[in-house]
Amino acid sequence: MTAPARPVPRPDRPPTREQLLVLADRAERGPLTASEAARLRAGISAVYASQRIVGDRTRLASRARREAADRIAAVTRLTAAARRRGVRSIPVRDLEMAIGAAVRPSGATGAREGRRVAQAA
C-alpha cells in the first residue's frame, strides 16, 4: 500500500482543512518552516473570514425576518383598526404607508406620512 498523497499547497487559495491538520501535526513534532507557518496563518485567517461572513449573513437574515414581522404587524394593526371603525376596505396607499413606516428607522418618516399612518391605525 502506498501512503496517501499529501495535498499540494496552492498560493492562490487558502489551505484546506487537511493541509492545516498536517501543519498542526508537524508543529507538534518540531518547529515549522517559514512557508509552513505562513500557510498556517493564512488558514487561520481564512477560517476567521469565513466565520465573519457567516455571522454577517445570519445578522442580515435576522434583520430581514424582523422587518417582515414588523410589516405583518403593521398590516394587522391597520386591519384591526379598520374593523373597529367598521371600514370594509383599506386603500392600497394606506397599506403601503403602514408597511413603509414599519420598516423605516425611527425619526425617518415625514410628518405628513407619520400622521396618516397614525390616523389609519
Side-chain angles (χ1 to χ4, degrees):
M1 240 189 200
T2 61
R6 291 178 77 191
V8 178
R10 294 190 51 185
D12 58 332
R13 292 187 185 163
T16 64
R17 177 182 171 271
E18 194 172 312
Q19 290 170 341
L20 290 174
L21 291 173
V22 167
L23 288 174
D25 291 342
R26 286 253 313 110
E28 286 177 346
R29 286 179 273 162
L32 297 176
T33 65
S35 64
E36 289 172 331
R39 294 289 293 162
L40 189 56
R41 284 188 190 93
I44 291 168
S45 296
V47 167
Y48 176 75
S50 69
Q51 285 177 340
R52 284 192 60 194
I53 289 170
V54 168
D56 291 344
R57 287 181 183 165
T58 302
R59 277 189 294 283
L60 287 174
S62 295
R63 186 169 128 201
R65 279 193 300 274
R66 277 193 312 274
E67 287 178 359
D70 290 346
R71 287 181 178 127
I72 291 169
V75 170
T76 302
R77 285 190 303 273
L78 182 64
T79 55
R83 281 190 191 120
R84 284 192 303 271
R85 292 190 319 256
V87 175
R88 297 181 59 82
S89 65
I90 300 171
V92 171
R93 68 179 172 75
D94 290 349
L95 286 170
E96 288 173 344
M97 284 191 294
I99 291 170
V103 294
R104 286 192 189 107
S106 60
T109 57
R112 281 178 64 182
E113 278 185 291
R115 253 194 320 271
R116 284 185 195 160
V117 171
Q119 289 171 354

